[in-house]
């Protein structure tokens, strides 16, 4: 299937594509070849204003509809996404460079799951009745926040747009979404599909641009809530800007998550978890378990089996479904990864495999493993956001728990062991929002997803997301006579 990667226009506002070439041009580069595959333009202040006006108007229409009607639109959009999964997955592959083998099962499909799940919940979002003395009562109304802004990172452009839009729209909000300038294509398709599914014009708008467009959206008084997926430094800026007007926020930020492999773990499962938690999407996943603590008794067997399994990585044309390892998203990102690899070597870590950029067009870095990594090394402390695994040795449980938690981040954490009591004890001890026992990086829409400490605020997915896209109004109803002091 060949697809046209150049979108109809840069932005999607009020239910239609909108162009304004006076904004700065943004070239979309395919990570596998380095070729420019599309060009869009950053939103000018007039475009930002138009999107916010459209969202403000649509939100009122949408909130006046019943939850059942809203849910039907979201579920129809989910069906359309599934019908077009292949086409959308190919676009995701061009936008990000991720192999089609992955995008066919992890991107548009997970977006559809979110729209279906929150579409299903929409009709059951209600308040409660609280009986009081004398027959009085309080009832609560669950109300939308208003216009929400979504700002995305570049690693999961379809999924991030849907994970933010689905709960927001289910609760009766409208959204203006700004994709990362690196991957501007996929969110436009979601906007198109929502319109086709019956969303009122202006309900979900997409505006392109760099950080300053995001910043303009965050500070606009018409905006009630900001949901960001991005790095910790950006999160701090956006959170601070939103605080100026007491806006609601959801912050899905970075991590440096631990995976702990005990001696009694199933070796194949532990190696699978480490591979899934480091090399899926070429390591460009926020929740990756990039500090793999391996107990000394199993260390050699773990490294041997890991190296054998990594030989099965198939690097190649991401559109070939046999390829299971793709390029990095951009020249900038591979440059960051190369710098960390150099630091790892300079600071004395043992390079087990990979580590050198592959000489071909595009941005290719093979799966890279460092062993003998110690806690103070830069590669063990900072988020790399690429295919670089750090293996650290440990002896005892108390020691490894202290080391696993000795980070400013707290997005995810995993443990591999056959000892059930230890598994539960360890996850209770983790300072992380999303934990895994004998698994890694599963993200079903039914489960809350998010971080603690510097990794974020709020939760995406699951019923928990409803709390972050709605507010409760209390109504006191007096049935008894009203007394006053005079
Ligand atoms: P960035 O933080 O660089 O950017 C995120 C988004 O914020 C982009 O759309 C960016 O625009 C925008 N932005 C930048 N500055 C501002 C500002 N001042 N005001 C408003 N918006 C702004 O992250 P990356 O795109 O590089 O993504 C990688 C990061 O995202 C990693 O740290 C990763 O861990 C994290 N991430 C977290 C996830 C989670 O769910 N916890 C999931 C996926 C990624 P632009 O880049 O176009 O200039």
């Amino acid at each position: 299937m060949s697809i046209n990667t150049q979108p109809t226009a840069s932005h999607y506002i009020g239910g239609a594509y909108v162009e304004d070439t006076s904004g700065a041009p943004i070239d979309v580069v395919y990570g596998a070849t380095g070729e420019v595959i599309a060009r869009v333009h950053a939103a000018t202040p007039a475009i930002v204003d138009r999107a916010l006006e459209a969202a403000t108007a649509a939100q009122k229409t949408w909130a006046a509809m019943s939850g059942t009607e809203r849910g039907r639109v979201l579920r129809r959009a989910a069906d359309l996404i599934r019908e077009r999964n292949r086409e959308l997955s190919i676009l995701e592959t061009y936008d990000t460079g991720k192999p089609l083998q992955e995008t066919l099962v992890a991107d548009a499909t997970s977006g559809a799951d979110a729209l279906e799940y929150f579409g299903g919940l929409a009709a059951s979002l209600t308040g409660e009745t609280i009986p009081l003395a004398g027959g009085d009562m309080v009832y609560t109304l669950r109300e939308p926040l208003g216009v929400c802004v979504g700002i995305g990172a570049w690693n999961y452009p379809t999924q991030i747009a849907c994970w933010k839009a689905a709960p927001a729209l289910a609760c009766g909000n409208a959204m203006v979404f700004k994709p990362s300038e690196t991957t501007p294509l996929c969110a436009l398709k979601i906007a198109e599909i929502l319109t086709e599914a019956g969303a009122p014009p202006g309900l979900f708008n997409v505006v392109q641009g760099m950080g300053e467009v995001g910043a303009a959206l965050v500070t606009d008084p018409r905006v009630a809530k900001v949901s960001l997926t991005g790095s910790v430094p950006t999160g701090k800026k956006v959170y601070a800007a939103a605080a100026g007007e007491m806006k609601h926020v959801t912050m899905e930020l970075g991590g440096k998550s631990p995976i702990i492999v005990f001696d009694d773990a199933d070796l194949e499962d532990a190696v699978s978890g480490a591979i899934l938690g480091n090399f899926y999407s070429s390591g460009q996943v926020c929740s990756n378990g990039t500090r793999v603590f391996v107990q000394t008794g199993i260390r050699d067997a773990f490294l041997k089996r890991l190296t054998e399994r990594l030989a099965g990585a198939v690097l190649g044309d991401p559109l070939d479904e046999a390829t299971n390892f793709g390029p990095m998203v951009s020249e900038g990102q591979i440059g960051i990864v190369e710098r960390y690899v150099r630091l790892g070597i300079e600071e004395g870590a043992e390079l087990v495999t990979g580590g050198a950029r592959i000489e071909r067009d595009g941005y290719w870095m093979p799966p890279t493993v460092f062993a003998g990594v110690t806690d103070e090394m830069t590669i063990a402390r900072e988020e790399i956001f690429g295919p670089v695994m750090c293996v650290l040795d440990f002896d005892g449980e108390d020691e490894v728990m202290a080391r696993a938690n000795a980070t400013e981040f707290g997005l995810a954490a995993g443990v591999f062991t056959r000892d059930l009591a230890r598994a539960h004890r360890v996850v209770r001890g983790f300072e992380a929002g999303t934990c895994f026992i004998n698994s890694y990086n599963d993200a079903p829409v039914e489960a809350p997803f998010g971080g603690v400490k510097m990794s974020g605020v709020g939760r995406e997915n699951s019923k928990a997301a409803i709390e972050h896209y709605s507010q409760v109004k209390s109504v006191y109803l007096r049935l008894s006579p009203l007394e006053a002091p005079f």
Side-chain angles (χ1 to χ4, degrees):
M1 178 188 277
S2 70
I3 61 157
N4 181 9
T5 47
Q6 177 63 40
T8 309
S10 298
H11 317 290
Y12 194 94
I13 300 172
Y17 277 99
V18 172
E19 192 52 277
D20 178 355
T21 53
S22 60
I26 298 172
D27 284 338
V28 188
V29 178
Y30 183 34
T33 60
E35 286 168 297
V36 174
I37 53 160
R39 168 175 275 198
V40 296
H41 291 266
T44 57
I47 287 286
V48 169
D49 182 64
R50 208 165 139 184
L52 288 168
E53 280 303 296
T56 305
Q59 194 267 323
K60 293 186 175 53
T61 317
W62 180 245
M65 288 162 60
S66 73
T68 306
E69 289 172 304
R70 290 201 298 268
R72 195 177 300 135
V73 171
L74 301 188
R75 284 183 287 111
R76 210 179 283 139
D79 291 344
L80 289 170
I81 289 176
R82 289 215 178 84
E83 279 166 27
R84 294 175 202 169
N85 182 40
R86 179 160 287 272
E87 182 189 335
L88 294 169
S89 302
I90 292 173
L91 189 67
E92 173 95 19
T93 289
Y94 277 118
D95 220 2
T96 62
K98 291 185 294 183
L100 188 59
Q101 190 192 96
E102 272 187 30
T103 57
L104 280 170
V105 297
D107 292 282
T109 52
S110 97
D113 283 353
L115 287 158
E116 186 172 14
Y117 176 86
F118 287 104
L121 275 188
S124 59
L125 303 178
T126 57
E128 59 180 343
T129 313
I130 304 158
L132 298 167
D136 288 4
M137 65 172 174
V138 166
Y139 67 89
T140 63
L141 298 169
R142 184 164 289 281
E143 298 186 333
L145 301 173
V147 174
C148 300
V149 161
I151 300 177
W154 42 256
N155 55 346
Y156 281 82
T158 306
Q159 183 188 82
I160 292 171
C162 292
W163 279 20
K164 297 189 187 310
L169 304 189
C171 291
N173 305 286
M175 180 163 272
V176 178
F177 186 80
K178 187 202 87 67
S180 163
E181 67 179 281
T182 310
T183 54
L185 304 179
C186 297
L188 292 167
K189 286 287 169 196
I190 300 304
E192 242 182 74
I193 284 173
L194 278 161
T195 300
E196 199 178 327
L203 188 68
F204 180 75
N205 309 277
V206 177
V207 296
Q208 307 294 352
M210 282 69 102
E212 69 252 25
V213 172
L217 289 167
V218 171
T219 47
D220 192 283
R222 286 166 287 190
V223 172
K225 179 193 170 122
V226 182
S227 177
L228 170 81
T229 296
S231 60
V232 171
T234 304
K236 286 186 192 173
K237 279 190 233 161
V238 171
Y239 201 169
E245 289 187 61
M246 217 58 83
K247 293 181 206 275
H248 298 247
V249 295
T250 297
M251 295 281 148
E252 294 294 352
L253 309 177
K256 189 75 193 174
S257 302
I259 295 177
I260 301 179
V261 180
F262 284 96
D263 283 348
D264 69 345
D266 180 293
L267 182 63
E268 285 306 314
D269 283 354
V271 170
S272 295
I275 289 173
L276 287 170
N278 281 273
F279 301 122
Y280 204 69
S281 301
S282 297
Q284 304 164 118
V285 180
C286 52
S287 50
N288 270 358
T290 47
R291 291 182 297 143
V292 182
F293 291 92
V294 184
Q295 203 163 16
T296 37
I298 200 177
R299 177 192 185 272
D300 291 348
F302 178 87
L303 283 174
K304 178 169 178 286
R305 192 64 192 121
L306 176 67
T307 316
E308 283 166 10
R309 297 262 305 265
L310 288 180
V314 182
L315 282 73
D317 177 3
L319 292 164
D320 178 345
E321 282 180 56
T323 299
N324 58 23
F325 189 89
M328 312 268 339
V329 74
S330 65
E331 182 64 44
Q333 194 59 28
I334 199 169
I336 291 170
V337 173
E338 286 184 283
R339 179 181 154 264
Y340 278 113
V341 170
R342 276 196 304 275
L343 279 171
I345 294 166
E346 279 165 27
E347 293 180 14
E350 177 202 341
L351 184 61
V352 177
T353 185
R357 180 173 178 164
I358 298 168
E359 287 308 322
R360 57 188 281 178
D361 289 342
Y363 318 119
W364 295 84
M365 177 61 88
T368 297
V369 177
F370 281 107
V373 177
T374 53
D375 299 346
E376 69 288 349
M377 288 180 185
T378 311
I379 54 170
R381 288 186 290 107
E382 297 181 12
E383 184 182 47
I384 299 175
F385 223 61
V388 182
M389 181 195 295
C390 295
V391 177
L392 304 93
D393 305 340
F394 79 94
D395 291 310
E397 186 179 320
D398 290 346
E399 167 217 332
V400 78
M401 289 309 290
R403 291 170 62 198
N405 287 332
T407 167
E408 60 170 2
F409 298 109
L411 187 53
V415 57
F416 283 84
T417 176
R418 286 194 176 96
D419 179 339
L420 207 57
R422 176 157 63 194
H424 291 288
R425 193 167 61 234
V426 163
V427 291
R428 278 173 188 238
F430 277 143
E431 295 169 5
T434 309
C435 296
F436 304 91
I437 296 175
N438 295 332
S439 191
Y440 206 80
N441 262 351
D442 316 69
V445 67
E446 296 88 348
F449 179 82
V452 301
K453 294 159 75 176
M454 295 301 270
S455 292
V457 173
R459 292 292 176 268
E460 296 200 297
N461 288 342
S462 79
K463 287 181 213 150
I466 298 300
E467 295 301 327
H468 301 288
Y469 284 100
S470 61
Q471 57 198 345
V472 170
K473 179 183 279 173
S474 295
V475 182
Y476 194 106
L477 175 62
R478 179 174 294 279
L479 299 178
S480 53
L482 183 58
E483 290 174 16
F486 53 84

